[in-house]
Amino acid sequence: MPPLSDAIHYLLHPDELRWILQWQMTYRPLYRRDETRETPNVKKCFAYLEKTSRSFSTLIQELHPELRMPICLFYLIARGLDTIEDDTSIPAKKKELTLRDFHSNLETDGWHFTENRPQEKDRALLLDFDCVIQEFKLQKPVYKDIIRDIIRRMGHAMADYCLRAESDGPGIDTRDDYDEYCYYAAGVVGEGLTDMFLEAKFYRPPPALQDGRRLQVSMGLFLQKTNIIRDIKEDADDGRRFWPRAVWSKYVHDFEDLLDPEHRLAALNCGSEMVLDALEHVPECLSYLTGVQEQSAFNFCAIPQCMAIATLTLCFRNPDVFVRNVKITKSEACRLMMESTRDLQTVCDVFKRYIRVIRRKNASHDPNFLKIITACDKIETFIESNFPLEIAKSIMPKGSCGTNAFGV
Ligand code: MG
């Protein structure tokens, strides 16, 4: 039974309930796991996936069987690596070596990690890591190589940050550092996933592209930057800061001032510049989606992107971001899932809808006002010129494989 407060809320806002019910009644995943054919170890890996991922667990479980397990393992391995990085109780030298060496343990029987502090939330995964190793060993060599290479690069980048934080203190300095951090935290994951999609023939890079790699990197950067904007309060409370000094120092004297109600207007303007920076990735994200050829892979890519533009819009000029963790409503999430599992045209419509909201919230006294307008214009022009309505009508039918919405 939902709490009474929820019931009253939906009585007063019946349109919100509509999306939740519609989602529950009409959504049917393309693929489901068949647990009767899974080994106990496979079940155990999925149980860890459910425990460690709020947002990606369902998306991964509904992927085409060709990539379901490789991507589940990719997630668990990256989560394991991150659990070592996040644990501030591990001495820097020990942490550095473990991060750099992590990729070389992926096929070592019985390898596990016991040195996380008890309160580290995904500690159990690393204690029980042999279940991941045993399943990893069974995967196709090409997927294993992709995963191992990405984990090696992430591990080295995390180790470098760990050393830098030791000598220079926490925080990110320039905008280049910020992009580089987001690249190693999420952009490389986009590269690994794209390599797996290419191998499975689920993705074909859009033609006539100067640098195809930029698109997959932008996919990760857009998600990561949105999370960094949304999580400023929570991260600051944990002693972490990801908003680059080059940006916040234009608005406040000390980073902590961003959270001080006395500096709220400056913080909001600073937030605008952070949102502006994230919005610049949107055309490349939409461009990437044109290359995704298989519907479950399309859903896997499109749902997080739509959730991100909704979250970014919610954070834009929203003072609550500096007070608490803001979240889109369940109803909005259900609506977005309905829409982003249809086709590219619907995803473009979602983006246009949120861009209109950003335009409405834009404030003329904000120093970023004109730049925000330009960024919104660019996104709308990109959608109108790349996805004219008549082409977009030839939407890929649900479950189609090997065809693409735009014949590219
Ligand atoms: Mg981390």
Side-chain angles (χ1 to χ4, degrees):
M1 266 290 274
L4 188 63
S5 58
D6 278 8
I8 293 170
H9 175 86
Y10 291 124
L11 269 175
L12 296 172
H13 304 89
D15 49 323
E16 287 191 22
L17 191 58
R18 176 192 144 198
W19 292 108
I20 298 173
L21 291 176
Q22 202 173 332
W23 170 254
Q24 285 173 351
M25 292 189 313
T26 63
Y27 178 73
R28 296 287 172 272
L30 276 174
Y31 302 102
R32 281 179 206 272
R33 285 168 53 201
D34 179 359
E35 290 193 48
T36 59
R37 299 173 69 173
E38 288 176 353
T39 64
N41 198 53
V42 166
K43 287 198 182 97
K44 202 169 172 187
C45 288
F46 281 115
Y48 274 117
L49 179 69
E50 283 175 1
K51 239 190 259 172
T52 56
S53 163
R54 280 169 306 175
S55 38
F56 282 103
S57 169
T58 313
L59 289 178
I60 293 173
Q61 293 186 59
E62 293 178 2
L63 270 170
H64 189 290
E66 170 67 17
L67 286 184
R68 186 188 295 139
M69 201 61 204
I71 292 183
C72 170
L73 293 168
F74 190 15
Y75 181 87
L76 291 176
I77 293 166
R79 171 66 40 227
L81 186 71
D82 192 45
T83 301
I84 295 172
E85 190 211 16
D86 288 351
D87 188 336
T88 48
S89 74
I90 303 171
K93 192 71 204 160
K94 165 86 191 166
K95 188 191 275 195
E96 187 215 340
L97 293 177
T98 313
L99 290 170
R100 289 196 200 284
D101 200 37
F102 196 82
H103 69 281
S104 64
N105 298 315
L106 297 179
E107 293 193 73
T108 310
D109 287 329
W111 186 87
H112 61 296
F113 186 78
T114 56
E115 288 158 72
N116 278 124
R117 56 187 166 187
Q119 66 268 40
E120 206 53 50
K121 66 180 172 38
D122 297 325
R123 178 176 198 262
L125 170 69
L126 281 170
L127 287 172
D128 208 5
F129 207 67
D130 190 49
C131 68
V132 175
I133 291 170
Q134 294 313 318
E135 224 46 53
F136 183 79
K137 284 166 73 177
L138 301 175
Q139 302 306 309
K140 288 184 185 169
V142 59
Y143 296 141
K144 287 199 283 191
D145 290 345
I146 293 169
I147 295 170
R148 197 184 291 105
D149 180 56
I150 300 294
I151 295 299
R152 180 185 58 78
R153 289 165 58 198
M154 286 177 86
H156 280 284
M158 286 171 171
D160 292 342
Y161 275 102
C162 163
L163 291 187
R164 209 177 305 163
E166 272 280 288
S167 57
D168 307 346
I172 290 172
D173 215 19
T174 67
R175 289 180 67 133
D176 282 347
D177 294 344
Y178 177 56
D179 273 6
E180 192 192 61
Y181 174 82
C182 293
Y183 172 70
Y184 282 109
V188 280
V189 175
E191 289 188 316
L193 290 169
T194 303
D195 287 344
M196 290 161 105
F197 290 154
L198 282 167
E199 199 54 46
K201 304 208 168 18
F202 290 176
Y203 178 72
R204 194 159 46 166
L209 211 71
Q210 299 294 323
D211 180 7
R213 211 182 63 95
R214 273 187 68 95
L215 303 189
Q216 58 233 37
V217 170
S218 266
M219 292 283 283
L221 259 58
F222 183 58
L223 302 186
Q224 185 71 15
K225 288 181 172 182
T226 300
N227 287 347
I228 284 176
I229 293 167
R230 181 200 55 197
D231 293 341
I232 181 166
K233 168 77 174 134
E234 192 184 321
D235 283 334
D237 289 348
D238 278 352
R240 292 176 303 194
R241 46 170 83 168
F242 299 108
W243 290 28
R245 175 191 296 272
V247 174
W248 62 254
S249 62
K250 287 196 241 169
Y251 301 91
V252 287
H253 191 264
D254 293 311
F255 178 81
E256 289 72 22
D257 292 344
L258 290 172
L259 303 169
D260 180 347
E262 264 187 43
H263 298 274
R264 196 49 37 90
L265 194 61
L268 282 170
N269 291 342
C270 179
S272 293
E273 187 169 337
M274 293 295 288
V275 169
L276 172 67
D277 169 72
L279 281 177
E280 282 164 359
H281 295 290
V282 167
E284 287 178 347
C285 295
L286 294 173
S287 195
Y288 181 92
L289 291 175
T290 66
V292 183
Q293 315 260 311
E294 193 274 335
Q295 184 74 45
S296 76
F298 181 83
N299 298 351
F300 177 83
C301 296
I303 292 176
Q305 297 292 322
C306 287
M307 298 284 177
I309 189 67
T311 303
L312 198 65
T313 305
L314 176 66
C315 292
F316 181 55
R317 301 207 62 80
N318 182 350
D320 290 347
V321 169
F322 304 99
V323 182
R324 60 180 170 84
N325 194 262
V326 300
K327 245 168 74 168
I328 56 172
T329 62
K330 188 174 176 198
S331 155
E332 200 172 356
C334 287
R335 180 180 181 183
L336 287 167
M337 285 191 286
M338 297 276 299
E339 293 173 321
S340 44
T341 50
R342 282 173 62 188
D343 49 65
L344 189 51
Q345 183 59 41
T346 317
V347 169
C348 288
D349 290 344
V350 168
F351 273 80
K352 282 201 283 189
R353 186 168 76 230
Y354 285 103
I355 291 303
R356 279 198 294 275
V357 179
I358 290 181
R359 284 187 192 282
R360 271 205 303 277
K361 291 170 86 176
N362 200 8
S364 56
H365 56 78
D366 179 344
N368 302 288
F369 178 69
L370 291 175
K371 285 185 181 161
I372 295 274
I373 294 179
T374 309
C376 292
D377 287 346
K378 262 193 196 157
I379 294 169
E380 285 185 335
T381 311
F382 178 87
I383 293 175
E384 300 304 341
S385 55
N386 285 278
F387 313 129
L389 204 60
E390 56 278 16
I391 304 178
K393 289 262 168 67
S394 64
I395 289 156
M396 57 181 156
K398 225 173 168 74
S400 70
C401 191
T403 53
N404 163 281
F406 304 105
V408 289

